[in-house]
Amino acid sequence: MNGSRSGRGRKIVLWRHGQTAWNLERRFQGSTDIELTEEGVGQARRAARLLASLRPDAVVASDLRRAAATAAELATVTGLTVAHDAALRETYAGAWQGLTHVEIVERYGEQYAAWKRGEPVRRGGGELETEVADRAAPVVLEHAEKLPADGTLVVVSHGGTIRTTIGRLLGLEAHHWEGLGGLTNCCWSVLGEGARGWRLLEHNAGTLPEPVLGDDD
């Protein structure tokens, strides 16, 4: 990659979807297909104007409605066509999906604690975080490889999927991924292509500090 020698190179913006009703209820969404709230649409619209100033070259999004609708706001202001890929969906979490945070801690306390310790856990009988990275990270890299030198890719996805993808692209061991804090609705992280691979340039950017409401908190 031409830009890697200079430490500049391509950039990947990983953008979390806007607010949903289940976010507000602290209800685990996982791969359940939940729509944006009216506030979530407004968040996406405001963030899209900021991200458009980065002059992105391509946009790829999860096909779940909350991510697809968020990506559509960026498409509106940039004129770019959004590619959708199911591999960018949020972690499938089986029996956890639809439960509130309190219910998960009450019913699956040991499993929840083990996950927070960074142990490999199939939350609710679902996917391991490494399996999420196995499906999502290659899609992100595939689209990044198509960028021009110094180009920018926007990936519209979900908090857990973004965190595991960042961890994988940075080469961190899986038990360290929890060290990456969650993303607030419609905030993003930026990876830049440097001389030794991908580097985390920004994390949870795009807003004044707000609570993280989602599956990854």
Side-chain angles (χ1 to χ4, degrees):
M1 296 182 184
N2 295 335
S4 62
R5 295 191 186 92
S6 66
R8 293 172 63 215
R10 300 164 175 85
K11 288 185 179 179
I12 301 172
V13 179
L14 297 118
W15 184 25
R16 187 185 172 210
H17 62 79
Q19 179 196 90
T20 71
W22 279 22
N23 289 153
L24 292 175
E25 296 168 7
R26 295 202 75 191
R27 195 174 295 280
F28 201 104
Q29 294 178 126
S31 59
T32 312
D33 199 6
I34 307 299
E35 293 182 337
L36 296 178
T37 60
E38 184 176 342
E39 173 62 22
V41 174
Q43 290 172 341
R45 196 161 292 157
R46 290 189 295 272
R49 291 197 294 268
L50 294 173
L51 292 175
S53 69
L54 300 178
R55 300 185 181 277
D57 297 278
V59 184
V60 60
S62 158
D63 63 344
L64 295 179
R65 286 179 292 177
R66 58 191 183 272
T70 300
E73 296 297 333
L74 184 59
T76 297
V77 294
T78 62
L80 294 169
T81 299
V82 179
H84 297 94
D85 199 311
L88 297 175
R89 290 181 178 185
E90 183 59 291
T91 309
Y92 171 65
W96 281 29
Q97 296 190 174
L99 298 181
T100 65
H101 180 80
V102 170
E103 289 169 339
I104 289 169
V105 173
E106 287 177 348
R107 301 180 195 181
Y108 302 96
E110 291 185 12
Q111 195 178 70
Y112 179 84
W115 169 53
K116 283 299 181 182
R117 288 194 299 269
E119 297 175 18
V121 174
R122 293 190 180 278
R123 288 169 286 170
E127 292 179 286
L128 294 173
E129 290 189 324
T130 51
E131 292 172 340
V132 178
D134 287 344
R135 61 171 162 82
V139 170
V140 173
L141 290 175
E142 176 188 346
H143 285 270
E145 288 291 337
K146 298 175 184 176
L147 292 172
D150 298 324
T152 297
L153 169 69
V154 176
V155 178
V156 190
S157 187
H158 310 265
T161 302
I162 289 173
R163 183 171 59 85
T164 58
T165 298
I166 290 173
R168 176 63 55 80
L169 295 185
L170 294 180
L172 301 177
E173 294 183 17
H175 67 274
H176 290 311
W177 294 352
E178 174 65 14
L180 295 165
L183 292 182
T184 304
N185 285 118
C186 258
C187 289
W188 58 86
S189 295
V190 181
L191 297 179
E193 182 187 21
R196 290 181 288 176
W198 294 101
R199 304 172 67 205
L200 182 61
L201 304 180
E202 298 181 54
H203 188 58
N204 201 27
T207 186
L208 295 171
E210 294 182 16
V212 175
L213 303 175
D215 301 349
D216 205 43
D217 63 351

